[in-house]
Amino acid sequence: MNEAIQEVTDGTATRLISAGIQLFAERGYDGTTVRAVTRRAGANLGAITYHFGTKDEFYEAVVTEVVDPSREFLASAVGTEGSPLDRIERFVRGVFEYLRLRPEFPRLVMQHFAGARPLPDAFRRVIQANARTLLGLIEQGQRDGSIRSGDPRLMTPSIISQPMYITLARQIIQEGLGIDYGDPDAWAGLVDAVVDFVRAGLASQQEGTS
């Protein structure tokens, strides 16, 4: 039933997805039961089977609901105009913004990778789309001399990991460094610092001295 997941327009299905997002983000796959989801959604115990099929297919639907929109969001943020470094900067800022708008995204990621389940298709699609975008921009920058030499496949994870880590390490950074994520100015400064760090790490000597 995975390829034919019903559109989440039915009220019960919508409530199930919402409850699933909350619980999978809080407890992970193994710590979340079908009974807990249906109880939180105010639905009967058979509702997940009726609307989505198995627990695995329901989990895939939940992850898809949270993760899939990020592809279009980041593609729009990156755009088609500007230098490779400028577009990579917009990518990094876009990731920060999406994670701010969808705080359950990093929690789902953390819970998923804390376990040993296969990668959901939605995660795979987003990872592959982001990798293609960044690989293309790095290669373009290397051709025009604005980005330093190196293997783009090894440079790409460093770019993606910066906003993800900063978001996931919120408690560590707030308590260890005294940076208040709730302060808009402090948050903007943190994002700017990450962007500067990424740009400095990618820029060629020619770009850095221009």
Side-chain angles (χ1 to χ4, degrees):
M1 189 173 179
N2 196 32
E3 294 181 359
I5 292 174
Q6 297 179 12
E7 290 187 13
V8 186
T9 54
D10 177 271
T12 301
T14 301
R15 295 199 309 274
L16 289 169
I17 288 288
S18 178
I21 289 170
Q22 297 168 25
L23 288 168
F24 286 130
E26 292 169 9
R27 308 176 186 178
Y29 181 90
D30 292 332
T32 298
T33 64
V34 168
R35 185 177 296 276
V37 173
T38 54
R39 184 185 300 117
R40 185 169 292 194
N44 66 60
L45 192 58
I48 285 179
T49 301
Y50 175 78
H51 287 280
F52 301 98
T54 65
K55 180 184 174 183
D56 281 356
E57 289 167 328
F58 174 63
Y59 180 66
E60 183 78 38
V62 167
V63 172
T64 298
E65 176 73 12
V66 175
V67 172
D68 251 16
S70 69
R71 290 187 295 159
E72 184 175 344
F73 185 91
L74 291 175
S76 177
V78 170
T80 58
E81 302 297 325
S83 71
L85 280 173
D86 287 343
R87 295 175 69 198
I88 290 172
E89 173 178 336
R90 294 200 295 266
F91 175 89
V92 173
R93 292 186 184 277
V95 174
F96 272 120
E97 180 63 9
Y98 192 79
L99 297 181
R100 185 188 69 80
L101 294 171
R102 299 299 300 261
E104 64 274 20
F105 186 118
R107 294 199 296 269
L108 275 174
V109 170
M110 184 168 61
Q111 289 288 359
H112 178 81
F113 289 107
R117 292 189 55 72
L119 192 67
D121 287 342
F123 276 142
R124 184 176 293 105
R125 287 192 294 269
V126 168
I127 291 169
Q128 291 174 345
N130 290 341
R132 284 194 298 270
T133 296
L134 292 175
L135 284 168
L137 291 172
I138 292 169
E139 289 169 351
Q140 181 183 341
Q142 288 175 334
R143 288 193 297 270
D144 69 22
S146 61
I147 291 179
R148 66 177 177 82
S149 61
D151 187 338
R153 295 172 303 168
L154 303 180
M155 299 161 81
T156 291
S158 296
I159 300 170
I160 296 173
S161 66
Q162 295 295 320
M164 286 297 298
Y165 174 77
I166 293 296
T167 302
L168 288 169
R170 175 175 183 150
Q171 183 178 6
I172 296 171
I173 293 173
Q174 286 196 156
E175 296 185 9
L177 298 176
I179 298 174
D180 181 4
Y181 277 44
D183 179 344
D185 291 336
W187 176 249
L190 185 56
V191 172
D192 287 344
V194 172
V195 166
D196 289 345
F197 185 82
V198 169
R199 288 190 72 118
L202 291 172
S204 67
Q205 187 175 13
Q206 168 188 324
E207 177 74 15
T209 57
S210 61

